Amino acid sequence: MEYSNPKMIEEDYKRVWAECLEVIKDTLGPENKKAFDTWFVPIVPLQLDGSTLIVQVPSPFFYEWIEDHYIDLLKRVIRMQLGPNGMLKYSIVMDQTIPTEPLKTTLPSHNNRHTVQNPMSDLPVNINKDNTREIPNPFVIPGIQKTRINSQLSPNYTLENFVEGDCNRLARSAGYAVAEKPGTTSFNPLLLHSNVGLGKTHLANAIGLKTKELHPDKVVLYVTSEQFMAQYAEAGRTGTTNDFIHFYEQIDVLIIDDIQFWSGKGQKTQEAFFHIFNHLHQRNCQIIITSDKAPGELQGLEPRLISRLKWGLNADLQAPDVETRKAILRQKLQNDGIEMSDEVIEYIAYNINTNVRELEGALISLIAQSSLNRKQITLELTKQMIDKYVQSSTREITIDYIQKVVCDSLDLPVESIQQTSRKREIVQARQLSMYFAKKITKSSLAVIGMQCGNKDHATVLHACKQIENLRQTDRYIRNLVDELEKKFKEC
Ligand code: ADP
Ligand code: MG
């Protein structure tokens, strides 16, 4: 290879890079000082080979990032320094504290060398994969090997207690296959999607646990997308972005929960994840992602990230049918050592059909009710409980809520509705609550009366008429009703 400048000798590599840095710093300007410090200061010049400058960068991610963002600038400064044939070659090591002297150690020539084409120089990039080091990260117990990373997995969400049904068969068996052979099935990434409360978090967590059970040497990590984003932001603030990236690049099975959280925000986070994704995927590490939408419907996520999500298997979880709901209830009861008659289980399973979280919620409320009141869980008690539960969980505006809003706007404590007082403002609060309960909820006059101070249906009817009349004749009431109406519409 030719020297573009005959006077240039090999030891000049430091000076060449220092001059490159000067130009880069000037070009980026003071407003980009942070970017300069993050992406250029950590680069270590290693050697000058003809008109090729060899520099060491801390990670594959780092390399991809600067190639993505600063290729033109780098090309320009290198050619300014080394002439038109000037080239840049990267040496990528996992250890930032690598000595700069023996090139052999940073550019291994044996088999464990991982090469990537560098679009700028057409030269291979060397990645020394073995040269790992400990990386400070909130998940790592300081000073301990990478296998001690806290997986953040919940021990309760196992595959064994994830009840199988038609609604989840594909996802569950794909999950099992992934746990058996993480990273090497075609289910990589594995994307689990469904509406809320249908078991995405449970299943993703269960795959993580099963993987650890079958492959204790694998490093598994569960994070929510929100946590990931917060960590990334924190790393940016404290100048530890490289540590963050290194940390994630060590993971064998990475589970990211609720990726839709990034929609329309966290562009930088998405970019960082994209690079980590590529790195892990290339190394046959497993990526498991959950989302409340199918990839095609995930708006506000970077298109190239969405296209990656489509690479592997997309498995959706449907709402369970009644048989699966019964099986889930039985299993929860068995886990808690509680007995319940079949008719009670059936009643719950038939009446709560929205999602599994609600099903569990109803069951827990029922158990709590029965133990607080020291009552047997009879069908009668179940019916009372579940009817109330279904009412309040499926309807957004409840009578209780109406009473609260009315009393707040009149500056009264909500309990006053239940008092027998004939004081004008309390009577008014009660009448207004009845009026809106009749208008907004589907409750019968009797139920409304009962909940609003234990009155009968005739009192409710009278209250409704009374408010209608006052609305026509009393400006204060008209304004009050209009204002309340507006509030309820906003709910
Ligand atoms: P999502 O993440 O989809 O919102 P979760 O995984 O949090 O839903 O599930 C909600 C609750 O329902 C959890 O307590 C979970 O254990 C339970 N659950 C969901 N699906 C099943 C299932 N197939 N078998 C047993 N429990 C389930
Ligand atoms: Mg979830």
Side-chain angles (χ1 to χ4, degrees):
M1 215 164 277
E2 266 183 17
Y3 286 87
S4 64
N5 178 349
K7 274 184 274 168
M8 196 77 78
I9 51 166
E10 294 216 336
E11 283 68 34
D12 275 345
Y13 64 90
K14 282 187 184 158
R15 190 179 51 78
V16 169
W17 181 242
E19 279 169 15
C20 289
L21 275 185
E22 280 298 305
V23 180
I24 293 169
K25 195 174 181 178
D26 267 4
T27 313
L28 291 176
E31 68 276 19
N32 290 311
K33 182 174 180 310
K34 209 160 167 201
F36 178 79
D37 289 344
T38 309
W39 301 111
F40 293 98
V41 173
I43 298 176
V44 181
L46 294 179
Q47 199 190 26
L48 196 59
D49 180 8
S51 50
T52 301
L53 177 69
I54 301 164
V55 294
Q56 179 190 293
V57 292
S59 71
F61 169 82
F62 198 104
Y63 150 74
E64 283 168 19
W65 186 283
I66 50 183
E67 283 279 307
D68 255 16
H69 292 80
Y70 301 108
I71 178 99
D72 292 334
L73 177 59
L74 281 169
K75 219 184 257 184
R76 194 149 50 80
V77 295
I78 288 293
R79 290 186 180 161
M80 259 168 77
Q81 294 299 319
L82 299 173
N85 297 330
M87 285 190 200
L88 193 64
K89 184 173 164 185
Y90 300 93
S91 159
I92 306 176
V93 292
M94 304 304 279
D95 191 340
Q96 280 182 313
T97 60
I98 277 288
T100 49
E101 339 81 54
L103 194 59
K104 286 179 251 77
T105 58
T106 55
L107 296 174
S109 55
H110 46 85
N111 284 343
N112 77 19
R113 176 160 122 184
H114 192 102
T115 58
V116 179
Q117 287 302 311
N118 171 354
M120 177 172 167
S121 59
D122 287 332
L123 282 174
V125 173
N126 301 285
I127 302 171
N128 179 355
K129 288 203 289 186
D130 290 345
N131 213 349
T132 49
R133 70 184 182 95
E134 276 164 25
I135 290 149
N137 183 285
F139 295 144
V140 186
I141 304 154
I144 302 178
Q145 298 284 309
K146 68 173 195 172
T147 43
R148 297 292 293 272
I149 284 174
N150 176 359
S151 288
Q152 302 204 113
L153 291 167
S154 155
N156 303 323
Y157 285 164
T158 64
L159 210 50
E160 285 71 23
N161 66 26
F162 188 76
V163 174
E164 187 172 340
D166 287 343
C167 54
N168 61 33
R169 193 158 284 121
L170 171 72
R172 194 178 184 282
S173 44
Y176 194 82
V178 160
E180 275 189 313
K181 293 184 177 165
T184 55
T185 65
S186 53
F187 310 150
N188 197 18
L190 174 63
L191 177 74
L192 304 170
H193 62 94
S194 77
N195 288 334
V196 293
L198 293 178
K200 297 180 293 293
T201 299
H202 185 143
L203 183 56
N205 190 98
I207 301 169
L209 288 177
K210 186 53 88 186
T211 309
K212 280 185 70 160
E213 183 189 318
L214 300 175
H215 309 275
D217 57 315
K218 294 273 180 210
V219 182
V220 180
L221 179 70
Y222 166 94
V223 273
T224 63
S225 57
E226 197 175 351
Q227 252 179 332
F228 184 92
M229 191 161 150
Q231 277 187 338
Y232 179 74
E234 177 63 17
R237 264 194 300 279
T238 54
T240 53
T241 306
N242 284 330
D243 290 340
F244 172 88
I245 302 295
H246 273 157
F247 173 76
Y248 276 95
E249 287 179 350
Q250 296 180 74
I251 308 298
D252 298 313
V253 178
L254 176 61
I255 305 167
I256 307 250
D257 203 2
D258 286 327
I259 202 169
Q260 77 281 349
F261 180 78
W262 293 341
S263 290
K265 55 179 177 274
Q267 214 194 337
K268 288 254 167 68
T269 308
Q270 290 185 40
E271 219 167 311
F273 177 67
F274 178 76
H275 286 282
I276 291 169
F277 180 104
N278 288 342
H279 176 84
L280 294 182
H281 199 270
Q282 210 168 31
R283 283 179 47 224
N284 284 340
C285 297
Q286 180 69 43
I287 300 144
I288 301 164
I289 289 165
T290 79
S291 157
D292 71 358
K293 292 188 185 65
E297 295 160 22
L298 267 171
Q299 278 157 9
L301 232 61
E302 279 209 34
R304 58 181 185 167
L305 187 53
I306 292 181
S307 93
R308 290 292 187 274
L309 300 183
K310 293 178 181 164
W311 274 5
L313 178 74
N314 291 315
D316 65 340
L317 297 165
Q318 297 286 339
D321 55 27
V322 70
E323 288 310 316
T324 314
R325 296 203 293 275
K326 280 193 235 169
I328 291 174
L329 288 171
R330 289 210 173 89
Q331 190 225 238
K332 305 268 171 212
L333 288 168
Q334 197 189 349
N335 279 357
D336 294 347
I338 296 169
E339 295 210 348
M340 239 179 223
S341 70
D342 280 353
E343 57 177 9
V344 168
I345 292 176
E346 291 210 342
Y347 191 85
I348 305 172
Y350 274 101
N351 284 280
I352 310 271
N353 54 14
T354 41
N355 66 48
V356 184
R357 192 171 297 151
E358 298 242 325
L359 196 64
E360 274 184 2
L363 185 67
I364 292 165
S365 308
L366 183 60
I367 295 169
Q369 277 268 333
S370 96
S371 66
L372 282 176
N373 304 335
R374 294 173 206 284
K375 278 189 191 161
Q376 277 279 334
I377 302 179
T378 58
L379 188 58
E380 205 41 49
L381 178 71
T382 310
K383 278 184 179 163
Q384 282 171 17
M385 231 299 299
I386 297 294
D387 290 351
K388 227 161 71 188
Y389 190 88
V390 170
Q391 225 175 54
S392 62
S393 70
T394 52
R395 198 171 303 131
E396 287 190 342
I397 301 180
T398 61
I399 300 176
D400 286 344
Y401 181 75
I402 291 171
Q403 291 174 348
K404 175 92 178 71
V405 174
V406 168
C407 287
D408 280 354
S409 73
L410 293 172
D411 231 356
L412 288 172
V414 71
E415 303 78 52
S416 53
I417 300 268
Q418 310 303 335
Q419 292 165 3
T420 46
S421 165
R422 301 282 322 151
K423 266 169 110 177
R424 198 163 149 263
E425 72 260 34
I426 293 181
V427 172
Q428 227 157 45
R430 201 156 40 225
Q431 288 187 334
L432 281 164
S433 299
M434 290 172 172
Y435 170 82
F436 279 111
K438 164 97 181 6
K439 252 185 120 158
I440 299 172
T441 73
K442 292 199 185 87
S443 304
S444 67
L445 295 174
V447 169
I448 295 173
M450 211 166 69
Q451 288 201 40
C452 296
N454 213 7
K455 307 289 182 197
D456 62 16
H457 79 283
T459 312
V460 180
L461 260 189
H462 173 72
C464 294
K465 278 198 193 128
Q466 181 83 353
I467 297 292
E468 276 301 347
N469 288 339
L470 286 172
R471 219 182 156 178
Q472 310 301 325
T473 54
D474 185 330
R475 219 162 117 201
Y476 167 72
I477 293 288
R478 185 166 56 240
N479 287 342
L480 192 60
V481 169
D482 288 350
E483 200 185 295
L484 285 165
E485 209 146 43
K486 223 171 100 200
K487 272 194 190 147
F488 291 126
K489 275 207 183 107
E490 281 164 9
C491 292

